[in-house]
Amino acid sequence: MSGERFMRRAIALSFERMEQGNGGPFGAVIVKDGVVIAEGWNRVTSTNDPTAHAEIVAIRAACAALGSFSLRECEIYASCEPCPMCLAAIYWARLERVYYANDRADAARFGFDDAVLYREIAAPIAARSLPMIRLLAVEARLAFEAWERKPDKIPY
């Protein structure tokens, strides 16, 4: 299956699942060695989960299918440029390549505007519109120190 065929599947998922009432018009496919290993579609409104974007759903399914938190040898095809949350998850999952169809400007024109998120992430913590208050840093650091000493840890 070519890249365009994988993208067509992601786009088809965006149509199909949106029409079925699962959520917004977003689909994603994760591929390894030329084979689809997972599909995802937006499930935000049908599951009352604001993190259930197509890419996140696909990443969760791919990790379950492979039995691994790493998708190093995989690529993702998304019907739209990933939002900041999904992009972060893609980096954390270590996907090797992202293909997308619609871009963030297209999404914004249809009510899916992530511009505020991009601005907030770039702003210093003290300048963000969402108050962020640091508490108990010294106590919390003890967990990191214990992690550092843990002999059987699985590094990310």
Side-chain angles (χ1 to χ4, degrees):
M1 190 180 275
S2 74
E4 289 181 359
R5 289 186 64 198
F6 294 133
M7 184 60 76
R8 284 191 180 99
R9 180 61 187 147
I11 293 167
L13 286 167
S14 75
F15 273 105
E16 293 166 10
R17 302 308 181 167
M18 182 243 334
E19 290 293 330
Q20 292 171 359
N22 283 268
F26 301 92
V29 173
I30 295 181
V31 175
K32 181 176 182 180
D33 299 326
V35 176
V36 173
I37 59 165
E39 296 182 338
W41 51 89
N42 186 285
R43 297 180 183 181
V44 170
T45 57
S46 61
T47 62
N48 296 318
D49 179 355
T51 69
H53 290 199
E55 298 91 335
I56 301 292
V57 171
I59 287 169
R60 290 174 180 160
C63 288
L66 295 177
S68 174
F69 61 85
S70 175
L71 300 177
R72 277 194 201 281
E73 298 174 3
C74 301
E75 51 196 24
I76 189 167
Y77 293 79
S79 65
C80 188
E81 177 183 355
C83 74
M85 176 184 69
C86 293
L87 185 58
I90 287 166
Y91 275 101
W92 277 114
R94 294 164 177 80
L95 284 149
E96 295 196 356
R97 188 167 285 112
V98 178
Y99 297 92
Y100 64 95
N102 292 313
D103 66 14
R104 68 177 84 168
D106 298 324
R109 279 192 293 278
F110 292 94
F112 302 100
D113 192 354
D114 296 326
V116 68
L117 297 175
Y118 288 104
R119 282 192 306 273
E120 287 286 304
I121 289 169
I125 288 176
R128 293 180 182 164
S129 64
L130 178 67
M132 295 182 66
I133 301 101
R134 190 172 186 189
L135 296 173
L136 303 176
V138 173
E139 290 180 37
R141 192 168 297 110
L142 296 174
F144 281 154
E145 291 169 359
W147 170 259
E148 186 176 49
R149 293 186 304 272
K150 186 172 172 39
D152 61 341
K153 67 183 168 209
I154 300 172
Y156 287 40

